[in-house]
Amino acid sequence: ICIENISTGQYMRFETETSGDDVLTIDTGSYGATITRAGVDYDDIICPDFGSEYLKLQPGINDIKVGFGYSGEGTEVSIEYSLRFAGV
């Protein structure tokens, strides 16, 4: 799995097998990742590949690409991020 923030150039690549029912949860605040399979959480089978960075979303629109493998192909989405407590 490869997740790239096209806006910043940061990417996260995970070397793990996934199926259509798996849920990947990434917590960029605590730098953790979990795969949920059939209702069971696994955090010990997933870690970022060498060179990966936990993505930091920038305020505003972030263009993200999600793909599988090293092909560079993937689905692009835009995520709008805003600070909850700006200036606090």
Side-chain angles (χ1 to χ4, degrees):
I1 300 169
C2 184
I3 304 167
E4 177 186 2
N5 186 335
I6 299 167
S7 303
T8 65
Q10 291 177 304
Y11 71 92
M12 299 176 69
R13 184 173 288 121
F14 298 96
E15 293 291 331
T16 188
E17 297 291 323
T18 58
S19 71
D21 295 331
D22 290 350
V23 176
L24 171 63
T25 304
I26 300 170
D27 184 341
T28 60
S30 65
Y31 303 105
T34 302
I35 287 185
T36 304
R37 292 186 173 140
V40 178
D41 292 339
Y42 297 92
D43 58 2
D44 57 340
I45 63 170
I46 186 163
C47 63
D49 199 13
F50 180 76
S52 295
E53 302 177 69
Y54 278 89
L55 304 182
K56 293 179 178 65
L57 297 178
Q58 303 300 314
I61 301 293
N62 291 262
D63 295 317
I64 307 292
K65 184 189 326 183
V66 180
F68 295 93
Y70 293 88
S71 67
E73 297 178 14
T75 301
E76 293 187 23
V77 296
S78 292
I79 298 174
E80 184 171 2
Y81 173 72
S82 59
L83 298 173
R84 280 191 189 175
F85 305 104
V88 174

